[in-house]
Amino acid sequence: MTRPLLVWGLALALGVPQPMVADTASDPELLRGIRQVEEGEFDAAALTLDAVARRAREHGSTDRARAELYLGVAYAGLAHEATAKSHFVQALEIDRGLTLSARQFPPRVLQLLEEAR
């Protein structure tokens, strides 16, 4: 595990507030993927959220922006910054108003999102 991921994992374990997962998502797999990100299961989250984003793209679902956003977070957690930024760009193309909380995400994730903006 790289040092930034270790710090992020420790912060989560020590009780840094977790993102609230809204139960309004139309795809239960989106909620599963978000929970996987929150639990630091970035490999599993990337697989889950990629499938959600693909389905959302095909069906024009409103869940796509959130799936792309959390895919970016998952790839950032895996230290795949270029891929993370690419997913952030896709999320922002759908919803320019997307943000992440500095209390819930590490600075590098927030920086990648801002670079994508």
Side-chain angles (χ1 to χ4, degrees), residues 65-81:
R66 285 181 66 199
E68 296 288 355
L69 179 68
Y70 278 89
L71 256 172
V73 174
Y75 279 109
L78 293 168
H80 295 243
E81 293 186 356

Side-chain angles (χ1 to χ4, degrees), residues 72-102:
V73 174
Y75 279 109
L78 293 168
H80 295 243
E81 293 186 356
T83 305
K85 197 184 296 187
S86 172
H87 286 288
F88 288 148
V89 166
Q90 291 178 57
L92 291 166
E93 285 175 355
I94 299 163
D95 183 353
R96 296 292 304 164
L98 288 174
T99 61
L100 294 172
S101 168

Side-chain angles (χ1 to χ4, degrees), residues 32-56:
R32 182 170 154 240
I34 292 171
R35 284 190 188 101
Q36 289 168 324
V37 166
E38 292 172 351
E39 293 168 2
E41 299 172 10
F42 302 122
D43 286 316
L47 292 172
T48 301
L49 293 167
D50 184 61
V52 171
R54 256 187 283 112
R55 275 195 309 277

